[in-house]
mmCIF file of all heavy atoms in Angstrom:
data_model
loop_
_atom_site.group_PDB
_atom_site.id
_atom_site.type_symbol
_atom_site.label_atom_id
_atom_site.label_comp_id
_atom_site.label_asym_id
_atom_site.label_seq_id
_atom_site.Cartn_x
_atom_site.Cartn_y
_atom_site.Cartn_z
ATOM 1 N N SER R 320 212.010 204.363 120.433
ATOM 2 C CA SER R 320 213.116 204.009 119.552
ATOM 3 C C SER R 320 214.164 205.117 119.564
ATOM 4 O O SER R 320 214.135 206.004 120.421
ATOM 5 C CB SER R 320 212.586 203.752 118.137
ATOM 6 O OG SER R 320 213.593 203.231 117.300
ATOM 7 N N ASP R 321 215.074 205.074 118.592
ATOM 8 C CA ASP R 321 216.249 205.945 118.604
ATOM 9 C C ASP R 321 215.975 207.411 118.294
ATOM 10 O O ASP R 321 216.913 208.209 118.280
ATOM 11 C CB ASP R 321 217.292 205.389 117.632
ATOM 12 C CG ASP R 321 217.949 204.127 118.147
ATOM 13 O OD1 ASP R 321 218.415 204.134 119.292
ATOM 14 O OD2 ASP R 321 217.987 203.122 117.403
ATOM 15 N N CYS R 322 214.747 207.782 118.071
ATOM 16 C CA CYS R 322 214.409 209.202 117.926
ATOM 17 C C CYS R 322 214.417 209.922 119.277
ATOM 18 O O CYS R 322 214.600 211.151 119.331
ATOM 19 C CB CYS R 322 213.030 209.355 117.282
ATOM 20 S SG CYS R 322 211.711 208.526 118.203
ATOM 21 N N MET R 323 214.221 209.190 120.361
ATOM 22 C CA MET R 323 213.979 209.816 121.665
ATOM 23 C C MET R 323 215.154 210.640 122.215
ATOM 24 O O MET R 323 214.929 211.711 122.789
ATOM 25 C CB MET R 323 213.552 208.754 122.683
ATOM 26 C CG MET R 323 212.246 208.047 122.340
ATOM 27 S SD MET R 323 210.837 209.158 122.105
ATOM 28 C CE MET R 323 210.630 209.819 123.755
ATOM 29 N N PRO R 324 216.419 210.220 122.080
ATOM 30 C CA PRO R 324 217.508 211.059 122.597
ATOM 31 C C PRO R 324 217.592 212.428 121.939
ATOM 32 O O PRO R 324 218.155 213.369 122.515
ATOM 33 C CB PRO R 324 218.764 210.222 122.299
ATOM 34 C CG PRO R 324 218.278 208.820 122.278
ATOM 35 C CD PRO R 324 216.925 208.905 121.640
ATOM 36 N N PHE R 325 217.048 212.563 120.722
ATOM 37 C CA PHE R 325 217.075 213.847 120.032
ATOM 38 C C PHE R 325 215.869 214.713 120.397
ATOM 39 O O PHE R 325 215.904 215.927 120.250
ATOM 40 C CB PHE R 325 217.123 213.611 118.514
ATOM 41 C CG PHE R 325 218.283 212.760 118.096
ATOM 42 C CD1 PHE R 325 218.117 211.396 117.872
ATOM 43 C CD2 PHE R 325 219.551 213.297 117.962
ATOM 44 C CE1 PHE R 325 219.193 210.597 117.510
ATOM 45 C CE2 PHE R 325 220.642 212.511 117.600
ATOM 46 C CZ PHE R 325 220.450 211.158 117.377
ATOM 47 N N ALA R 326 214.811 214.054 120.888
ATOM 48 C CA ALA R 326 213.597 214.788 121.244
ATOM 49 C C ALA R 326 213.836 215.761 122.395
ATOM 50 O O ALA R 326 213.179 216.801 122.475
ATOM 51 C CB ALA R 326 212.485 213.812 121.611
ATOM 52 N N VAL R 327 214.788 215.459 123.304
ATOM 53 C CA VAL R 327 215.058 216.355 124.430
ATOM 54 C C VAL R 327 215.594 217.693 123.941
ATOM 55 O O VAL R 327 215.542 218.698 124.655
ATOM 56 C CB VAL R 327 216.031 215.726 125.448
ATOM 57 C CG1 VAL R 327 215.453 214.456 126.027
ATOM 58 C CG2 VAL R 327 217.396 215.465 124.829
ATOM 59 N N HIS R 328 216.136 217.737 122.721
ATOM 60 C CA HIS R 328 216.625 218.976 122.110
ATOM 61 C C HIS R 328 215.579 219.590 121.178
ATOM 62 O O HIS R 328 215.889 220.498 120.405
ATOM 63 C CB HIS R 328 217.912 218.706 121.333
ATOM 64 C CG HIS R 328 219.011 218.138 122.177
ATOM 65 N ND1 HIS R 328 219.630 218.851 123.183
ATOM 66 C CD2 HIS R 328 219.585 216.907 122.176
ATOM 67 C CE1 HIS R 328 220.554 218.094 123.756
ATOM 68 N NE2 HIS R 328 220.546 216.913 123.169
ATOM 69 N N GLU R 329 214.351 219.079 121.254
ATOM 70 C CA GLU R 329 213.231 219.522 120.412
ATOM 71 C C GLU R 329 213.500 219.312 118.924
ATOM 72 O O GLU R 329 213.038 220.077 118.078
ATOM 73 C CB GLU R 329 212.855 220.979 120.696
ATOM 74 C CG GLU R 329 212.243 221.170 122.083
ATOM 75 C CD GLU R 329 211.469 222.470 122.216
ATOM 76 O OE1 GLU R 329 210.302 222.526 121.789
ATOM 77 O OE2 GLU R 329 212.050 223.425 122.756
ATOM 78 N N VAL R 330 214.246 218.264 118.616
ATOM 79 C CA VAL R 330 214.432 217.878 117.221
ATOM 80 C C VAL R 330 213.299 216.911 116.856
ATOM 81 O O VAL R 330 213.172 215.851 117.468
ATOM 82 C CB VAL R 330 215.792 217.194 116.992
ATOM 83 C CG1 VAL R 330 215.917 216.735 115.542
ATOM 84 C CG2 VAL R 330 216.926 218.140 117.357
ATOM 85 N N PRO R 331 212.475 217.247 115.875
ATOM 86 C CA PRO R 331 211.357 216.371 115.512
ATOM 87 C C PRO R 331 211.830 215.133 114.763
ATOM 88 O O PRO R 331 212.952 215.083 114.251
ATOM 89 C CB PRO R 331 210.496 217.261 114.610
ATOM 90 C CG PRO R 331 211.462 218.227 114.006
ATOM 91 C CD PRO R 331 212.514 218.469 115.056
ATOM 92 N N ALA R 332 210.954 214.132 114.713
ATOM 93 C CA ALA R 332 211.295 212.884 114.038
ATOM 94 C C ALA R 332 210.079 212.326 113.326
ATOM 95 O O ALA R 332 208.943 212.485 113.779
ATOM 96 C CB ALA R 332 211.815 211.862 115.048
ATOM 97 N N VAL R 333 210.346 211.669 112.212
ATOM 98 C CA VAL R 333 209.331 210.859 111.542
ATOM 99 C C VAL R 333 209.801 209.413 111.633
ATOM 100 O O VAL R 333 210.870 209.068 111.151
ATOM 101 C CB VAL R 333 209.146 211.264 110.068
ATOM 102 C CG1 VAL R 333 208.142 210.328 109.386
ATOM 103 C CG2 VAL R 333 208.675 212.706 109.966
ATOM 104 N N ASN R 334 208.998 208.595 112.292
ATOM 105 C CA ASN R 334 209.318 207.187 112.462
ATOM 106 C C ASN R 334 208.540 206.374 111.437
ATOM 107 O O ASN R 334 207.306 206.421 111.404
ATOM 108 C CB ASN R 334 208.962 206.744 113.875
ATOM 109 C CG ASN R 334 209.763 207.489 114.930
ATOM 110 O OD1 ASN R 334 210.914 207.165 115.188
ATOM 111 N ND2 ASN R 334 209.153 208.503 115.529
ATOM 112 N N ILE R 335 209.258 205.645 110.595
ATOM 113 C CA ILE R 335 208.656 204.869 109.521
ATOM 114 C C ILE R 335 208.698 203.400 109.921
ATOM 115 O O ILE R 335 209.768 202.867 110.243
ATOM 116 C CB ILE R 335 209.417 205.088 108.198
ATOM 117 C CG1 ILE R 335 209.382 206.572 107.814
ATOM 118 C CG2 ILE R 335 208.835 204.223 107.085
ATOM 119 C CD1 ILE R 335 210.251 206.911 106.611
ATOM 120 N N CYS R 336 207.542 202.738 109.922
ATOM 121 C CA CYS R 336 207.512 201.354 110.399
ATOM 122 C C CYS R 336 206.419 200.554 109.697
ATOM 123 O O CYS R 336 205.509 201.121 109.076
ATOM 124 C CB CYS R 336 207.320 201.303 111.908
ATOM 125 S SG CYS R 336 206.008 202.362 112.542
ATOM 126 N N ARG R 337 206.530 199.243 109.807
ATOM 127 C CA ARG R 337 205.563 198.319 109.203
ATOM 128 C C ARG R 337 205.325 197.176 110.182
ATOM 129 O O ARG R 337 206.232 196.396 110.469
ATOM 130 C CB ARG R 337 206.092 197.803 107.867
ATOM 131 C CG ARG R 337 205.169 196.811 107.143
ATOM 132 C CD ARG R 337 205.753 196.485 105.777
ATOM 133 N NE ARG R 337 205.084 195.388 105.090
ATOM 134 C CZ ARG R 337 203.978 195.507 104.345
ATOM 135 N NH1 ARG R 337 203.403 196.695 104.206
ATOM 136 N NH2 ARG R 337 203.445 194.454 103.744
ATOM 137 N N PHE R 338 204.112 197.082 110.690
ATOM 138 C CA PHE R 338 203.745 196.080 111.684
ATOM 139 C C PHE R 338 202.647 195.159 111.146
ATOM 140 O O PHE R 338 202.084 195.394 110.088
ATOM 141 C CB PHE R 338 203.199 196.760 112.945
ATOM 142 C CG PHE R 338 204.218 197.457 113.777
ATOM 143 C CD1 PHE R 338 204.359 198.834 113.721
ATOM 144 C CD2 PHE R 338 205.036 196.747 114.639
ATOM 145 C CE1 PHE R 338 205.295 199.494 114.506
ATOM 146 C CE2 PHE R 338 205.966 197.389 115.425
ATOM 147 C CZ PHE R 338 206.098 198.767 115.364
ATOM 148 N N GLY R 339 202.332 194.137 111.929
ATOM 149 C CA GLY R 339 201.120 193.377 111.696
ATOM 150 C C GLY R 339 201.274 192.056 110.992
ATOM 151 O O GLY R 339 200.292 191.332 110.795
ATOM 152 N N GLY R 340 202.496 191.684 110.598
ATOM 153 C CA GLY R 340 202.708 190.408 109.945
ATOM 154 C C GLY R 340 203.282 189.374 110.901
ATOM 155 O O GLY R 340 203.443 189.624 112.102
ATOM 156 N N GLN R 341 203.626 188.229 110.370
ATOM 157 C CA GLN R 341 204.070 187.124 111.213
ATOM 158 C C GLN R 341 205.390 187.408 111.899
ATOM 159 O O GLN R 341 205.576 187.072 113.067
ATOM 160 C CB GLN R 341 204.170 185.842 110.381
ATOM 161 C CG GLN R 341 204.310 184.589 111.225
ATOM 162 C CD GLN R 341 204.073 183.321 110.437
ATOM 163 O OE1 GLN R 341 203.754 183.363 109.268
ATOM 164 N NE2 GLN R 341 204.225 182.179 111.080
ATOM 165 N N ALA R 342 206.334 188.023 111.191
ATOM 166 C CA ALA R 342 207.638 188.301 111.804
ATOM 167 C C ALA R 342 207.528 189.352 112.900
ATOM 168 O O ALA R 342 208.015 189.155 114.019
ATOM 169 C CB ALA R 342 208.636 188.737 110.741
ATOM 170 N N SER R 343 206.884 190.490 112.594
ATOM 171 C CA SER R 343 206.772 191.552 113.600
ATOM 172 C C SER R 343 205.890 191.135 114.771
ATOM 173 O O SER R 343 206.057 191.635 115.889
ATOM 174 C CB SER R 343 206.252 192.845 112.973
ATOM 175 O OG SER R 343 204.912 192.712 112.551
ATOM 176 N N ASP R 344 204.953 190.215 114.540
ATOM 177 C CA ASP R 344 204.134 189.703 115.644
ATOM 178 C C ASP R 344 204.977 188.870 116.594
ATOM 179 O O ASP R 344 204.600 188.656 117.739
ATOM 180 C CB ASP R 344 202.977 188.866 115.094
ATOM 181 C CG ASP R 344 201.942 188.560 116.167
ATOM 182 O OD1 ASP R 344 201.491 189.503 116.830
ATOM 183 O OD2 ASP R 344 201.599 187.371 116.338
ATOM 184 N N MET R 345 206.138 188.397 116.106
ATOM 185 C CA MET R 345 207.036 187.588 116.924
ATOM 186 C C MET R 345 208.257 188.380 117.390
ATOM 187 O O MET R 345 209.291 187.800 117.740
ATOM 188 C CB MET R 345 207.507 186.369 116.122
ATOM 189 C CG MET R 345 206.403 185.439 115.705
ATOM 190 S SD MET R 345 205.710 184.560 117.133
ATOM 191 C CE MET R 345 204.416 183.599 116.320
ATOM 192 N N ILE R 346 208.162 189.716 117.363
ATOM 193 C CA ILE R 346 209.276 190.559 117.792
ATOM 194 C C ILE R 346 209.763 190.143 119.185
ATOM 195 O O ILE R 346 208.978 189.812 120.066
ATOM 196 C CB ILE R 346 208.849 192.048 117.771
ATOM 197 C CG1 ILE R 346 209.010 192.612 116.357
ATOM 198 C CG2 ILE R 346 209.660 192.878 118.753
ATOM 199 C CD1 ILE R 346 208.564 194.030 116.210
ATOM 200 N N HIS R 347 211.082 190.156 119.351
ATOM 201 C CA HIS R 347 211.767 189.820 120.603
ATOM 202 C C HIS R 347 211.666 188.335 120.946
ATOM 203 O O HIS R 347 211.801 187.943 122.104
ATOM 204 C CB HIS R 347 211.285 190.688 121.771
ATOM 205 C CG HIS R 347 211.712 192.106 121.651
ATOM 206 N ND1 HIS R 347 211.564 193.038 122.674
ATOM 207 C CD2 HIS R 347 212.299 192.792 120.638
ATOM 208 C CE1 HIS R 347 212.037 194.211 122.271
ATOM 209 N NE2 HIS R 347 212.484 194.079 121.049
#
Side-chain angles (χ1 to χ4, degrees):
S320 188
D321 288 309
C322 57
M323 298 304 294
F325 304 98
V327 299
H328 301 293
E329 292 199 81
V330 177
V333 176
N334 298 280
I335 300 173
C336 47
R337 179 175 170 85
F338 288 101
Q341 193 166 357
S343 68
D344 192 52
M345 298 290 178
I346 276 177
H347 290 190

